[in-house]
Amino acid sequence: MGRIYLDYAATTPTHPDVLKAMLPYFNEDFGNPSTICSYGQEAKGEIGNARTQIANLIGSRDEEIIFTSGGTEADNFAIKGIAFANESKGNHIITSSIEHPAVLETCRFLQKNGFNISFIPVDKQGLVDPDGVRKAITKNTILISIMHANNEIGTIEPIAEISKVAKKAGVYFHTDAIQTAGHIPIDVNELGVDLLSISAHKLYGPKGIGALYIKKGTSLATFMHGGEQEQGRRAGTENVPGIVGFGKAAELIQQEIDDESKRLIYLRDLLLTGILERINHSRLNGHPTMRLPNNANISIDFAEGESMILNLDLEGICAATGSACSSRNLEPSHVLLATGLSQEQAHGSLRFSLGKWTTEDEIKRVLDVLPRIVARLRAMSPLLKNQSKI
Ligand SMILES: *Cc1c(COP(=O)(O)O)cnc(C)c1O
């Protein structure tokens, strides 16, 4: 039995056609785009093509796309860039309590450096309330950063509504769209955002390349100092193979976005309903309908997340948990806690994230294996000793 990968939210394999498109740019066409000889000019042309492919994916103009070293850098660039360019106007930034660490930790860094950050709460389903954002705005607010969809629980935030609030107050609005780009349709104009982060390795492109959409006319403090690359906004010799791969991945995923999201919603719901039916004391995390097509996040009482993951791994199934023992920090997932889960519930969470190569047979195999693992763990669980209910 082959291994089953259900952790596409963590990273995706590079599409074979993407890899093929990248390979020549490591040796044959290795030119530095900043040089004027034909080698360099060819590389420069390819970067231009990739920029168009990415602009098409999100409905922007080509020149509004700036390549970065990944999603983390795009988030850092957006937030620090706005913060340092607008210090004279104010020092207040609004974000949510469920952001990815690339946003949360950037905001905490700014907090230590004189900025005032509001981490606004979410409801039980992980939704940010646009009215809550409105109420948090002060005369010092310069930026609002709310993610498009959450990477752990899959909740899709009401970005278009929040952007109206931001626009009305004259505040810049950034969204981390790293989980949504290529997975649900995105149009930066419909979303009404000034800045939007994306990353290639979450959409079947390579790791180490991302992009920041910067709406025309938005001034950002320079983040990476050096050469004049990327319109002088991001110095450093371009990652040409990465950029070419990112462009190709964007083009490929855009062609199948509608069919693929329908297919994934069907498989996701098969998995979700199957688990909730077969395992008592299990619950869906996140929003029942406003959620990513590929995300199934479940809390299973009286079973520890890390133990479930290790047991699934022994059966060849790779998934993720919001339980903390798998990370350095002892706290369980900040996202699950923010939705009101107790420490125990958060420790008993599993995230399955599906993707391009997920099959119905794989989902059926999980539905066969997981209930047995849970039953075995519960039989040994000290948490269960005091419970007569099960
Ligand atoms: C993966 C991810 C990031 C980080 O992107 P990298 O390219 O891995 O640096 C940021 N935000 C979200 C929501 C993500 O899922």
Side-chain angles (χ1 to χ4, degrees), residues 33-321:
S34 300
T35 60
I36 58 173
C37 64
S38 60
Y39 284 92
Q41 290 308 299
E42 277 163 28
K44 194 173 169 185
E46 287 307 321
I47 291 177
N49 289 344
R51 209 183 299 282
T52 305
Q53 288 165 318
I54 288 160
N56 286 343
L57 182 67
I58 62 169
S60 75
R61 306 175 205 214
D62 291 10
E63 65 272 20
E64 293 172 318
I65 301 293
I66 299 296
F67 289 110
T68 65
S69 68
T72 299
E73 185 186 318
D75 285 342
N76 270 262
F77 186 16
I79 296 167
K80 291 178 198 165
I82 289 289
F84 294 135
N86 293 276
E87 271 177 297
S88 61
K89 290 191 211 143
N91 70 343
H92 181 231
I93 295 171
I94 299 169
T95 190
S96 84
S97 52
I98 62 164
E99 298 295 314
H100 187 277
V103 168
L104 278 184
E105 294 303 322
T106 302
C107 288
R108 290 202 183 108
F109 163 79
L110 289 172
Q111 201 170 28
K112 287 198 202 100
N113 285 275
F115 287 86
N116 186 359
I117 317 285
S118 298
F119 298 93
I120 62 168
V122 294
D123 70 10
K124 283 187 168 8
Q125 298 171 328
L127 282 175
V128 171
D129 175 12
D131 207 44
V133 175
R134 187 182 58 76
K135 287 181 184 142
I137 294 174
T138 72
K139 63 178 191 334
N140 288 321
T141 309
I142 50 174
L143 174 68
I144 297 167
S145 179
I146 305 288
M147 69 201 319
H148 193 191
N150 184 269
N151 47 303
E152 293 187 32
I153 55 175
T155 301
I156 300 172
E157 301 297 342
I159 296 302
E161 282 175 62
I162 300 169
S163 78
K164 286 195 191 105
V165 170
K167 205 160 278 170
K168 205 162 167 203
V171 174
Y172 286 114
F173 186 34
H174 165 249
T175 192
D176 173 336
I178 293 167
Q179 287 291 329
T180 50
H183 302 284
I184 61 175
I186 289 186
D187 182 312
V188 288
N189 299 305
E190 277 170 29
L191 288 178
V193 295
D194 301 298
L195 301 137
L196 178 141
S197 307
I198 52 180
S199 175
H201 77 99
K202 305 286 173 78
L203 47 85
Y204 314 112
K207 294 172 182 59
I209 186 76
L212 181 64
Y213 156 76
I214 307 174
K215 188 179 175 175
K216 195 168 185 245
T218 308
S219 68
L220 287 178
T222 303
F223 179 66
M224 200 69 94
H225 302 273
E228 281 297 310
Q229 290 91 352
E230 297 295 287
Q231 306 164 42
R233 301 190 103 154
R234 201 278 184 183
T237 301
E238 297 88 339
N239 172 0
V240 182
I243 290 171
V244 168
F246 191 7
K248 185 72 184 172
E251 183 190 86
L252 290 175
I253 204 164
Q254 192 181 4
Q255 288 165 0
E256 48 190 45
I257 194 164
D258 294 332
D259 292 343
E260 184 61 1
S261 70
K262 280 194 204 104
R263 194 184 74 88
L264 289 174
I265 286 171
Y266 167 76
L267 292 179
R268 176 201 71 191
D269 290 347
L270 191 68
L271 180 63
L272 275 177
T273 50
I275 292 176
L276 298 179
E277 268 168 29
R278 286 172 176 76
I279 302 174
N280 56 12
H281 298 269
S282 62
R283 235 167 302 99
L284 171 70
N285 292 317
H287 198 281
T289 55
M290 288 174 65
R291 68 183 303 123
L292 288 169
N294 73 332
N295 173 294
N297 190 312
I298 297 140
S299 280
I300 297 177
D301 292 345
F302 319 116
E304 209 271 314
E306 195 180 41
S307 307
M308 288 189 278
I309 291 298
L310 293 175
N311 278 278
L312 283 167
D313 196 42
L314 289 174
E315 303 268 358
I317 300 166
C318 174
T321 174

